[in-house]
Amino acid sequence: MPTEPVFLPVQARYAGGAGPGTREGEHAITANNRWSRVQLTFRHLPAEAWCCLEATLAWTDAEEGGQVLDFLLAGFDFLAADGSSLDVEQVPGLVRTLLDPHSAWIAGPACQPAGSELMRAAPVRVAFGVPPQARGLALTLRSWRNTETMTIAEPRLRPGGPLRAGAFRRRRLGPQPEPLRHGLVPGLGLVVRGQIHAARSTEHAARVSLVYRDRDGAEIPPPYPGTVAVPGLGAKPGEEETGLGAAINLPARPQARRFTLGLEPPPGAVSLDLGFCTWEEEGERLPAVDLLGPPEVALEDRFRLESLCGDDLLDAPGFLARLSSRLGRDPGAEAAWIPGPGEAGAAALPLARARALRSEAERPVALRPDGGLSLRLAGCPDWTLPDLPDFREDPFRAVPSRAVPWRLAYQSLTWLPALAEAAPARALALALAWSRANPWGQPADPLSLHPGALPARAEVWIGLLALPGAGAAAPVLTGEAVRHGFALAEIVGQNTFGRSLHQLQAAAALLALARALPRLPFSGYWDGLARESLRDGVPALLPADGHFPDSSLHRRLDLVTLGRALREPLGAAAPGPLVAARTEAALLELSGLVDPGGRLPPFGEVVPGIDDAGWIARLRGTAGLVAQRPAAQPAAASSSTLLPDGLSARHETAGRGWSHFACTFADTAPQGHADCTSFVYAAGATRWIVEAGGSEQTEIGAARHYLLSARAHNVAVIEGTEPVAGRGLHRGSLALPGAVAHAIETDVHGPGFRHLRIFVLPHDLSGLAVIDRFVARDGAPLTFRASAQLAPDTLVAVEGPRRVQARQGGRRLGLVPFAVAGRVAGLETVIGRSDRPGTMQGFVVRPGVLEPACALRYAVTGRGMVCGGLLMALDGPAEDSLARVLAREELAQFLMQA
């Protein structure tokens, strides 16, 4: 296989103390957070293909930032052919940040692979997809939490294979606009921002079509301020030339052109249909013009939250009064916005409904005999609430894996509605205390503004307003609801969290606020923002083709749960039918993935302590376990499921218990789990091969780095490197006597290698074989190491250089590494290694803690191409049968040709 070309930077610029290194191709970055940086420009990149940034990071002995996960920041600014910057909505392998359009964090020295601590240097690799409009890249490497000068040597881009179809969402403009409907605030203008890209620079690349409507939905005829009308343009053949209506021109000089539209609605307008399209009519040759990302929508600046609050520490009623004054209302007019208990109680609360569907009724708060309150939040031990809390409480600060989720649950105030059932006056008093302790702009706990707390708390104010005794507290509760609504509207309108569950949760909470405050002048605007965000975001996160952007089935189930909870507030109006259809399709798929023991395969982020089967049963409106075999199936049954991003198989036999296998080959990213091709295996109703677990309850430090790394997953890794962003692709199956083989090709090891992982599964799942084949494109020596994480309660005995015996509950599992091409280069077990973050291994997640468990590691080495794997079987006959299958000629051909 030929070696691909390598792209080198054509220009280097320095700032903030950075400069050239001592050798050619080396760049020194001083310790000056954000400011010290080098910007490298690359040209002629291949569009819609994977690329991998490769470089060498070096540091000094005096470096004290070795433990941090954000040691250095790599920022990516993609460029059009004329050098203009592209504001692309989402890039595979990267995340959106504020300083640069897209970024990837580079971990500190202690988080680098074994051996790097001796050389004080480590390879850096970041894989990413090149947007279809991009021809160049401005790469910025920034100082972040390094304490000494560090160097980056020989940075280069190595192109890889093409991206899968649909990796980038194209918004190609045509002659007919697809209207985006937005609600309006009477008398206020809208600000719409975005960017278009045209294949060639032109003064008339596209246009924006505007139609304002009154309260009855009737069109208000143009002209509108700031727009033009062109007679005849837009009329279809045979129709009367009624004209284009109102439009605004969008030039594309340069090719990637940002635009800001200050829209002034005519009197009486309550909604706006906004459509982006070309100037050309049907039948004309259309230019290639794209809208990059969803347009940002906001109110005029004087009604932004920052402007409304200013430098004042406004309380909630004060915020309402200032808002009323800014609208030109008489003093006290804001009292008309306060909803009655019936109005507030009639509003559906989708986030609260989703929490109820996620787990059975919980009691997060309990009244003690002495009158005190005990909180039980985020799976942490009971904690007694002070009589006068200041909402800075952090009782689990010594254990970060518990402190962060506890503080989020505490600051979300979702425990107040449960308290209100038993002691409504106490709940209202605590709500008022929180409001006093948290004037906008000076929160008692900064984590209260986290997207995991803010949307949920916004719904709490509505729930408390529905209490019959809320009258005296209603101005404070309404004021909090309104200013939370302004914060959510800016998050939703600016697409702050992009394609994420947090973004959809913010939209869902905003929808609830709009429904609960019908007399608030902003409710129609909020409703339109929320619906448009859900219409755009749900298809991206629950795609019809099954290529989900996250390997976590629990995250997927959270999305489905939110979609089900939105059924009532969305109703039959758009995007209600779309959300319902995507939700039902994803729920059906998830139901089929639950193993016979009632669990979803634990890939990606995992929700600890949750009954997966019960959760899905509540969503389906059924009782008991889900995904059981149909009644028509015999007592002994096998089934398998192949999805675009995963594979599972199961077998049940009377007297032997159930067996189950699952693997994932979903897309991965630098800030996600490196679990592409990881698998789990259970036999005899015993879980043998497990995943280390999720990391949502471990937000920081070495434990999080470990749980995200390949070392926490059952994958193969080329020695001396870490996997990069990428995906897997099912390359075919081979039927064998009593078994089936599945081949999965991945690109997570970078453009320099080709990787194929093959699973050989007996029909009765009495064992399995996992085989990896690596090919080095330059023919160099090659060693890969693979891991299999055994369940914590497993007793492991190494019986020799080529055999391990695992025992659990009176059952046995034999594990034997083998080589097909090359040779087995070692077998070892690792339990609880924690000398440094970069070598941490042999732990699994238990609620709140990491528990030591055995990880079996084996290596295969060779030159140019190596192939080998691990055979596991429950007993001698099963091992012999599987060994005969592995020796078949057709399997050997499949290994080399797949």
Side-chain angles (χ1 to χ4, degrees):
M1 291 175 290
T3 302
E4 294 86 351
V6 172
F7 295 95
L8 300 177
V10 299
Q11 186 181 51
R13 297 179 178 177
Y14 304 97
T22 58
R23 296 177 296 145
E24 184 178 358
E26 186 178 73
H27 311 278
I29 302 175
T30 57
N32 188 3
N33 179 271
R34 296 186 300 165
W35 304 112
S36 180
R37 62 195 184 275
V38 55
Q39 186 181 82
L40 307 173
T41 303
F42 297 86
R43 298 291 186 191
H44 310 300
L45 300 186
E48 296 188 90
W50 282 105
C51 256
C52 187
L53 166 66
E54 298 178 350
T56 300
L57 171 69
W59 55 89
T60 68
D61 280 335
E63 180 58 59
E64 298 177 358
Q67 300 278 341
V68 300
L69 304 183
D70 50 353
F71 182 73
L72 185 71
L73 181 64
F76 295 75
D77 182 9
F78 293 95
L79 308 175
D82 64 355
S84 50
S85 295
L86 296 162
D87 189 14
V88 185
E89 171 188 9
Q90 176 264 346
V91 175
L94 304 176
V95 294
R96 298 215 61 157
T97 51
L98 294 177
L99 289 178
D100 302 285
H102 304 275
S103 298
W105 297 103
I106 297 172
C111 301
Q112 300 299 333
S116 59
E117 70 276 17
L118 303 176
M119 302 294 296
R120 297 196 301 277
V124 171
R125 299 195 307 162
V126 178
F128 56 92
V130 180
Q133 303 88 358
R135 298 298 179 268
L137 169 67
L139 172 69
T140 303
L141 298 166
R142 296 180 183 273
S143 165
W144 204 254
R145 295 180 66 183
N146 55 310
T147 62
E148 300 290 332
T149 298
M150 40 74 61
T151 62
I152 289 286
E154 299 180 350
R156 56 199 177 275
L157 298 181
R158 190 183 299 276
L163 292 165
R164 67 170 175 84
F168 284 96
R169 184 174 180 182
R170 300 295 298 269
R171 290 178 168 84
R172 179 62 57 85
L173 302 185
Q176 297 300 322
E178 296 183 9
L180 312 177
R181 175 154 293 187
H182 291 284
L184 300 173
V185 181
L188 299 187
L190 279 186
V191 179
V192 180
R193 296 183 177 91
Q195 187 183 44
I196 61 170
H197 171 269
R200 58 183 177 83
S201 178
T202 176
E203 187 61 34
H204 300 281
R207 61 184 170 95
V208 184
S209 171
L210 296 91
V211 175
Y212 289 100
R213 299 185 184 276
D214 61 20
R215 190 171 301 277
D216 297 324
E219 178 180 346
I220 298 176
Y224 308 138
T227 65
V228 297
V230 181
L233 186 58
K236 296 182 179 179
E239 293 183 353
E240 181 181 354
E241 294 189 357
T242 56
L244 175 65
I248 298 176
N249 180 55
L250 296 178
R253 288 186 176 176
Q255 281 181 273
R257 174 71 177 266
R258 291 182 174 87
F259 60 83
T260 299
L261 309 177
L263 305 180
E264 301 178 27
V270 299
S271 68
L272 165 66
D273 290 344
L274 199 66
F276 293 83
C277 54
T278 63
W279 283 103
E280 286 72 15
E281 300 183 72
E282 293 281 2
E284 292 187 87
R285 184 179 178 182
L286 299 178
V289 182
D290 291 301
L291 180 65
L292 300 180
E296 296 179 7
V297 180
L299 295 173
E300 53 191 70
D301 287 347
R302 63 195 182 101
F303 284 92
R304 302 293 294 272
L305 189 58
E306 183 179 4
S307 174
L308 284 168
C309 293
D311 296 327
D312 303 324
L313 298 179
L314 291 177
D315 60 10
F319 179 82
L320 280 184
R322 178 167 295 181
L323 182 60
S324 176
S325 174
R326 194 71 59 94
L327 286 170
R329 306 292 174 87
D330 295 333
E334 64 273 12
W337 301 340
I338 300 175
E343 289 176 316
L349 304 179
L351 299 188
R353 175 60 178 156
R355 287 193 300 275
L357 289 170
R358 187 181 194 185
S359 58
E360 294 184 282
E362 296 180 349
R363 305 303 302 176
V365 61
L367 283 170
R368 296 168 48 185
D370 61 0
L373 296 178
S374 291
L375 298 186
R376 181 177 299 170
L377 305 175
C380 297
D382 288 4
W383 174 76
T384 301
L385 183 73
D387 292 335
L388 297 173
D390 61 10
F391 294 96
R392 291 182 173 87
E393 290 80 11
D394 186 8
F396 302 101
R397 65 174 62 87
V399 186
S401 61
R402 285 182 168 175
V404 171
W406 187 91
R407 287 166 60 201
L408 286 175
Y410 182 55
Q411 295 295 337
S412 72
L413 302 185
T414 52
W415 45 275
L416 283 182
L419 175 62
E421 295 177 10
R426 188 81 176 273
L428 290 170
L430 285 169
L432 297 181
W434 187 95
S435 181
R436 288 192 299 271
N438 289 272
W440 204 263
Q442 189 173 314
D445 184 345
L447 208 61
S448 66
L449 301 179
H450 189 283
L454 179 65
R457 190 171 61 248
E459 282 192 352
V460 169
W461 307 118
I462 300 303
L464 296 176
L465 278 165
L467 295 176
V476 175
L477 300 176
T478 304
E480 287 290 1
V482 172
R483 67 181 182 180
H484 276 67
F486 269 82
L488 291 171
E490 293 184 12
I491 289 172
V492 172
Q494 296 175 22
N495 200 34
T496 302
F497 300 113
R499 298 182 182 181
S500 71
L501 176 62
H502 284 321
Q503 186 73 15
L504 297 191
Q505 288 171 332
L510 187 63
L511 186 68
L513 291 171
R515 299 284 294 274
L517 302 168
R519 291 185 298 281
L520 183 73
F522 299 86
S523 61
Y525 168 65
W526 289 353
D527 184 271
L529 274 184
R531 289 179 178 274
E532 185 55 39
S533 180
L534 293 168
R535 183 198 68 80
D536 188 75
V538 168
L541 294 173
L542 296 175
D545 64 2
H547 286 283
F548 293 91
D550 194 318
S551 64
S552 172
L553 299 179
H554 281 95
R555 189 74 58 78
R556 206 172 300 178
L557 190 52
D558 266 327
L559 288 164
V560 169
T561 305
L562 180 59
R564 176 60 62 85
L566 283 165
R567 176 183 293 177
E568 180 184 348
L570 285 177
L578 170 68
V579 173
R582 294 297 176 90
T583 297
E584 293 305 316
L587 177 59
L588 181 63
E589 182 178 289
L590 287 168
S591 299
L593 294 177
V594 177
D595 71 20
R599 296 186 193 176
L600 282 170
F603 304 120
E605 297 300 331
V606 178
V607 180
I610 291 288
D611 174 15
D612 299 335
W615 183 355
I616 293 178
R618 285 187 290 276
L619 290 173
R620 300 182 68 183
T622 59
L625 292 178
V626 296
Q628 299 299 308
R629 62 175 180 269
Q633 284 192 348
S638 298
S639 64
S640 62
T641 303
L642 176 62
L643 303 173
D645 59 2
L647 170 70
S648 68
R650 57 191 290 167
H651 181 82
E652 296 180 71
T653 304
R656 290 191 60 179
W658 54 268
S659 299
H660 180 258
F661 163 85
C663 75
T664 179
F665 42 92
D667 293 6
T668 61
Q671 279 67 45
H673 286 258
D675 59 359
C676 184
T677 71
S678 186
F679 68 99
V680 292
Y681 172 62
T686 301
R687 302 183 190 279
W688 292 104
I689 308 300
V690 301
E691 276 279 272
S695 61
E696 283 193 330
Q697 289 194 326
T698 308
E699 293 275 348
I700 58 175
R704 177 172 176 80
H705 181 262
Y706 159 68
L707 291 171
L708 294 176
S709 74
R711 286 169 279 110
H713 304 292
N714 305 311
V715 298
V717 178
I718 298 171
E719 188 172 52
T721 68
E722 290 289 322
V724 293
R727 66 185 179 98
L729 180 66
H730 189 266
R731 282 300 188 188
S733 303
L734 174 68
L736 296 161
V740 62
H742 295 276
I744 300 165
E745 185 176 8
T746 79
D747 53 14
V748 297
H749 300 283
F753 305 94
R754 186 184 179 198
H755 173 230
L756 201 69
R757 171 162 271 201
I758 297 93
F759 292 100
V760 181
L761 306 176
H763 294 327
D764 63 359
L765 289 180
S766 57
L768 67 88
V770 53
I771 307 169
D772 290 283
R773 178 167 70 91
F774 285 92
V775 179
R777 298 188 185 275
D778 59 1
L782 180 63
T783 299
F784 78 82
R785 299 185 182 275
S787 299
Q789 177 74 59
L790 292 155
D793 299 327
T794 306
L795 177 65
V796 178
V798 179
E799 298 184 343
R802 299 284 289 273
R803 178 176 291 275
V804 168
Q805 192 75 238
R807 300 183 183 184
Q808 188 183 156
R811 298 179 182 272
R812 297 184 179 185
L813 181 71
L815 302 104
V816 180
F818 62 91
V820 177
R823 60 183 177 84
V824 175
L827 170 68
E828 62 180 333
T829 57
V830 180
I831 304 177
R833 180 177 180 180
S834 58
D835 53 334
R836 54 192 297 272
T839 56
M840 190 173 179
Q841 194 168 22
F843 293 92
V844 297
V845 171
R846 287 293 171 92
V849 296
L850 291 181
E851 179 179 339
C854 180
L856 176 65
R857 302 200 311 183
Y858 58 94
V860 181
T861 188
R863 186 178 186 88
M865 180 187 75
V866 292
C867 183
L870 185 68
L871 179 154
M872 58 191 79
L874 290 177
D875 50 36
E879 182 177 328
D880 292 342
S881 175
L882 188 52
R884 287 192 295 271
V885 170
L886 293 178
R888 296 187 68 88
E889 180 64 27
E890 60 265 41
L891 179 60
Q893 294 177 0
F894 185 68
L895 288 174
M896 298 303 157
Q897 297 176 6

